[in-house]
């Protein structure tokens, strides 16, 4: 006789919702504070390379990283600091890469956005222009060949990347092979400075899913609760055989394309629409309205985030930079192919 399992109680579901929301908020807050510090260091000449902030996109990013689990694959992009942290990247890894420390995951050798730990499922970014979609699809197909089941791959891209060849080829492959891939599109209204009206003519980017035969989800990218609900649902659908899932989030990038860009091309009227809401402030308002925390607790969490980033920066500033005259530039994975290592 099979005994029925009771459904979760309303109070248990409410408790889970609260815990998940507060966890997501803290990842968002840590990402915001850490990126503000990185931007300050960039303006002070302490960062080599560009700095691209995720301000306004942290809710979507954090929800993506949180919906995945150990063993999954995540290919984050330039505005995914919150998702990186939620997926398991340490703050120290990010700071070390931005500041060129030889002790960072890229050993001070690469641009600061191309960091990752592939063996742990966190992929270094190739490009934000859709290039990571076929990479994740290939990894998932390779896992299938090896008999590895139950894992999901996710990557992010912007609205402009949906017009690239890599998007078409990668999503088409994923759809044909019914791969457990979640594609998260941050429709932030501009591909750098090109508005969506000059990128595509479909009414909704989710309409593109129909042509590939994949499931589509729309979400308000400024609402952490909505992002968590949709991303967890999409990841679960992919994990349980539902094939690729396309998630389209509507929001507005609240800063320039990078710290070198003043975003003067953005239509000021957009900032006064729901798209222009600051997702961090929206999350704070819900926390206070629900009574999940008070203002003093929110301030304490913010102070803790500032402490963490200051500690990471202080540690990194004491660490060595790579010396071009003595550095062994051979890639770790290709030692056996280096000059002089092959038999005569």
């Amino acid at each position: 006789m099979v005994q029925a399992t009771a459904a979760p109680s309303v109070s248990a579901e409410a408790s889970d919702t609260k815990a998940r929301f507060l966890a997501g908020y803290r990842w968002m807050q840590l990402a915001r504070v850490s990126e503000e510090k990185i931007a300050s260091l960039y303006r002070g000449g302490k960062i080599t390379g560009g700095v691209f902030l995720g301000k306004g996109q942290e809710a979507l990013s954090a929800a993506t990283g949180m919906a995945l689990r150990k063993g999954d694959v995540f290919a984050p992009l330039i505005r995914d600091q919150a998702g990186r942290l939620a997926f398991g990247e340490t703050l120290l890894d990010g700071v070390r890469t931005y500041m060129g420390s030889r002790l960072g995951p890229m050993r001070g050798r690469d641009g600061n956005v191309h960091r990752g730990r592939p063996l742990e499922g966190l992929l270094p970014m190739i490009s934000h222009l859709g290039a990571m979609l076929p990479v994740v699809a290939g990894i998932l197909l390779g896992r299938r060949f090896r008999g590895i089941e139950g894992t999901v791959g996710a990557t992010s891209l912007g609205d402009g990347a949906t017009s690239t060849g890599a998007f078409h080829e990668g999503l088409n492959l994923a759809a044909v092979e019914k791969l457990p891939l979640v594609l998260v599109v941050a429709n932030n209204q501009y591909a750098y400075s090109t508005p969506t009206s000059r990128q595509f003519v479909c009414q909704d980017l989710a309409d593109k899913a129909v042509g590939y035969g994949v499931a589509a989800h729309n979400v308000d990218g400024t609402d952490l609760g909505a992002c968590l609900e949709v991303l967890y649902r999409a990841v679960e659908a992919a994990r349980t055989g539902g094939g690729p899932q396309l998630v389209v989030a509507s929001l507005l990038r609240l800063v320039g394309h990078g710290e070198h860009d003043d975003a003067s091309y953005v239509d000021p009227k957009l900032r006064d629409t729901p798209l222009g809401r600051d997702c961090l402030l929206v999350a704070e308002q819900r926390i206070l309205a629900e009574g999940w925390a008070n203002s003093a607790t929110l301030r304490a969490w913010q102070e803790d985030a500032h402490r963490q980033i200051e500690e990471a920066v202080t540690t990194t500033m004491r660490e060595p930079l790579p010396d071009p005259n003595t550095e062994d530039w051979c890639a770790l994975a290709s030692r056996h192919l280096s000059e002089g290592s092959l038999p005569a």
Side-chain angles (χ1 to χ4, degrees), residues 25 29 284 293-306:
Y25 169 77
Q29 188 179 60
E284 288 179 1
N294 57 31
S295 297
T297 300
L298 295 181
R299 285 195 300 272
W301 289 345
Q302 186 177 48
E303 290 170 2
D304 182 61
H306 279 287

Side-chain angles (χ1 to χ4, degrees), residues 253-296:
R253 170 169 38 88
L254 300 182
V255 289
H257 178 74
E259 281 299 280
H260 58 279
D261 170 36
D262 65 3
S264 57
Y265 46 81
V266 175
D267 184 350
K269 295 179 181 178
L270 276 177
R271 301 188 187 279
D272 296 326
T273 70
L275 291 171
R277 299 193 304 171
D278 184 337
C279 58
L280 190 64
L281 295 180
V282 172
E284 288 179 1
Q285 290 165 2
R286 180 174 178 187
I287 290 171
L288 294 172
E290 297 279 1
W292 290 341
N294 57 31
S295 297

